[in-house]
Amino acid sequence: MKNIRFFYFLIVLLLAYSCSEKKNIAKEKIEKPAVTILIQPFKDIKQETVAKVAEGIEKVYPNVKVQNAIDFPENTYYKGRNRYRADSIIKFLNKETKEGFVTIGLTSKDISATRGKIKDFGIMGLGYRPGKACVASNFRLSKENRDEQFYKIAIHELGHTQGLPHCPEKMCFMRDAEGKNPTNEETDFCKKCKTFLINKNWKFNSI
């Protein structure tokens, strides 16, 4: 009889321990800090432009910090086309980005990347999926609504770093530009893309 009671006592202890562990794990998930977006301007870009991009991103996602402007690393410049290589910029920013952060580099210089058979294709932005850093340029943006377009390009590339692919929704930030500039039609992340980012620990201003 004593053995049976002892056996039941052990079961109760194990169940209590298991429930306690589950609560601790759930608590850790709840207390995990939100991802912080670091805006890293290069010295060529105007401070007021950086401020407007930061303001635009903060309206969607509030956890943003603006870093002091820095010089381009020497290995990012492509003299043959007077451009800066987006992939080299991202590699540099990746090394400087710690866990829990994602960095968006901002520049007014022309940037490029290899696309298919074209070794040096001019682009507005680049972000690897997934990754810790990305880059955006306003060099190719139209003068009308330029700052608004710029923050949308930036947040599009930030979405890629979190693992988001291009989205078929025309009003979503993750829409594929398809060689054009559809940013004036974009209004927000669509519900599907926003849910994806929430699962990546993004804390939005509104759902």
Side-chain angles (χ1 to χ4, degrees), residues 34-73:
V35 173
T36 299
I37 293 173
L38 299 177
I39 295 177
Q40 179 58 74
F42 289 98
K43 288 184 178 179
D44 65 282
I45 197 167
K46 295 178 180 178
Q47 289 184 354
E48 54 265 37
T49 301
V50 176
K52 287 177 181 177
V53 172
E55 183 182 355
I57 294 174
E58 285 173 344
K59 287 179 182 178
V60 181
Y61 186 83
N63 204 11
V64 176
K65 290 183 179 179
V66 179
Q67 308 286 82
N68 293 326
I70 59 173
D71 291 313
F72 282 104

Side-chain angles (χ1 to χ4, degrees), residues 109-175:
K109 298 290 187 181
D110 196 12
I111 61 174
S112 61
T114 301
R115 178 171 293 185
K117 294 181 179 180
I118 305 174
K119 293 183 178 180
D120 191 67
F121 188 84
I123 56 176
M124 294 181 288
L126 182 67
Y128 293 126
R129 182 165 66 93
K132 294 191 298 180
C134 52
V135 61
S137 167
N138 66 359
F139 183 86
R140 294 175 178 274
L141 299 180
S142 58
K143 292 181 179 180
E144 184 182 357
N145 300 326
R146 198 176 194 188
D147 290 326
E148 183 179 347
Q149 291 176 29
F150 199 16
Y151 99 78
K152 289 178 181 179
I153 295 294
I155 210 164
H156 174 100
E157 302 307 338
L158 285 163
H160 280 321
T161 67
Q162 302 305 291
L164 273 175
H166 285 136
C167 178
E169 296 289 335
K170 289 185 177 181
M171 298 176 72
C172 181
F173 290 142
M174 296 310 298
R175 175 182 177 179

